[in-house]
Every structure is written in structure tokens, then in C-alpha cells.
Amino acid sequence: MSLTINNQTAAANTALAGTTQVSDNGSAFGLKNEFLTMMVAQIQNQDPLEPLDGTEYVGQLAQFSMVEGQEYIRAGQAENAELLYTQQVLQSTSLIGKEVLVPADSLAVNAGETPSGVIPMNGSADGVELTVKDLNGNVVETLNWSHVGSDDIRFDLNELPQGSYTFEVAVLRGENISVQTPLLSRNVERVMLPSSGGDIQLKLAGMGSVSLFSVSEFSQSNS
């Protein structure tokens, strides 16, 4: 009997050694192949007087199949994520030259530029005030709206001298005044892909780089 067991072990080890190079990555696919090869070798060399119990093999094989299925799912998800990212890259390149709305409270303006944007409204308000200041804190323009509904407010400023400005929005509801960030309209100059991964970046005129996913609205090409 001892000789039979040794023969089974030797056969199993030989079969296992023959598949090591195939599955040295330790994946469920490779381990399952090793298990099947070893199982077949042990069955072929089993003692006819004391046959092996196949119940344990069936249970282990079922576990390998379950893990293998999970690896197939993960591989499919990774492939879909890569495909989605590629589509996002291709679509984002078409944004060059278009206007986008992004949340921002500061902006560098070229000479003669007339900035525009949107004040998002989450419900009606008694009053809304937009204040534009230069870097010295001087107020250069103020816009006011009263008895505002829930629709967003679109605004266009007068021509501003070249320089950097800040934008402050105050919303009055009863006795409460809340401050929020406006959405400024800017032109997309370039699309950048971070070498370390992460969000696609849009280089906006007078604003620098922002994440593609921070854009609230896209418009037609700037004419």
C-alpha cells in the first residue's frame, strides 16, 4: 500500500512540475489547470482496492471555477474602464476652441474682454448680487437682481481692463445671506492627459487647468 501512495505522489508531483511554467503567475486559471492535472494523475495511479473519494475534488473544483469566474469579471471591468477612458480622451479633444462653464471665483482677463457666466440658483431668492473686484480689492462692477426665480441667472459684464479679478455672489433669502461660486464662461485652449493618470485636464483661457469633470456646461465653438 505504501508503494501505491508513493507512486500517486510521484505522478502528481511530475504533473505539477510540468505545468509550473504555465501558471507561475498564480492566477485562478493557472491554479485550476494545475489542480486538474494533479487530480487526473492521482486518479490514474490510485489503488484499485482503495479508490480515491471524488467528493473533495468536486468541491475544490467548484471553488476554483467560482474564483475563475470572478477573475473573468474583473478582467472585463478593467477592459471596459480602459475603453471608457479612451472614449473620454477622444471626445475631450473636440472641446478645443469651445466655451465651457466652470465654477470659479477668480479670473485673469485680457484687455477689452467682457467676461460672462452663470449664477446657479437652487430655488427662488429675494435678491442676488454679483460683485467684481480687482486685486487691490476695489469694486469694478456690481450687478443686482431682485425677486429672482429658480432659473439660473446668466450675466455679461462690461469691458474690463487687462488684469486679474475676483467674483463674489451673495444670495438673499429673507434675512439670510449665502455666498456661492459663479460659473464662468471660458474658452478651451488645450486638452492635457496627466502622465501619472487621473482626470483629463482642460487648459482654459485666463484660468489655467481644470478637471474635465468640473465642467458644468459645454457650448458651441467660439466664433
Side-chain angles (χ1 to χ4, degrees):
M1 185 67 63
S2 176
L3 179 60
T4 302
I5 294 177
N6 289 337
N7 287 339
Q8 292 179 17
T9 303
N13 290 337
T14 301
L16 186 61
T19 59
T20 299
Q21 294 181 347
V22 178
S23 60
D24 57 1
N25 58 0
S27 68
F29 317 119
L31 293 175
K32 181 180 177 182
N33 289 334
E34 290 182 2
F35 174 78
L36 289 173
T37 303
M38 184 175 64
M39 182 180 69
V40 170
Q42 289 185 341
I43 291 175
Q44 290 175 342
N45 293 275
Q46 67 179 323
D47 184 358
L49 301 179
E50 293 185 8
L52 298 173
D53 183 6
T55 304
E56 182 178 355
Y57 284 111
V58 172
Q60 292 180 355
L61 184 60
Q63 292 178 357
F64 275 117
S65 297
M66 181 176 65
V67 174
E68 184 179 27
Q70 292 174 345
E71 287 202 7
Y72 274 121
I73 293 175
R74 284 196 293 269
Q77 290 174 338
E79 183 177 352
N80 289 337
E82 183 176 354
L83 177 61
L84 178 60
Y85 183 77
T86 301
Q87 291 175 338
Q88 290 174 345
V89 171
L90 294 176
Q91 292 173 356
S92 64
T93 57
S94 66
L95 296 176
I96 298 176
K98 291 188 176 181
E99 293 282 341
V100 295
L101 283 175
V102 293
D105 56 9
S106 62
L107 180 65
V109 176
N110 292 322
E113 189 175 347
T114 57
S116 61
V118 171
I119 299 175
M121 297 297 298
N122 298 316
S124 60
D126 299 319
V128 177
E129 181 177 81
L130 169 64
T131 304
V132 183
K133 299 179 181 180
D134 61 20
L135 289 182
N136 296 320
N138 301 316
V139 176
V140 297
E141 188 167 354
T142 301
L143 297 178
N144 289 280
W145 298 266
S146 58
H147 306 294
V148 180
S150 58
D151 293 336
D152 294 344
I153 301 174
R154 292 189 175 270
F155 64 86
D156 293 282
L157 300 178
N158 294 319
E159 183 176 306
L160 296 175
Q162 182 174 356
S164 296
Y165 299 88
T166 60
F167 295 74
E168 299 176 0
V169 176
V171 180
L172 174 65
R173 292 186 175 95
E175 297 181 354
N176 297 321
I177 299 178
S178 60
V179 178
Q180 63 186 69
T181 303
L183 305 177
L184 300 182
S185 179
R186 304 312 296 164
N187 186 55
V188 179
E189 297 180 332
R190 192 190 314 167
V191 175
M192 298 170 291
L193 307 178
S195 58
S196 58
D199 295 347
I200 299 170
Q201 299 291 308
L202 303 181
K203 186 178 184 303
L204 307 183
M207 194 176 292
S209 300
V210 301
S211 168
L212 171 66
F213 301 105
S214 68
V215 175
S216 298
E217 184 178 314
F218 304 92
S219 65
Q220 297 298 321
S221 299
N222 192 22
S223 55

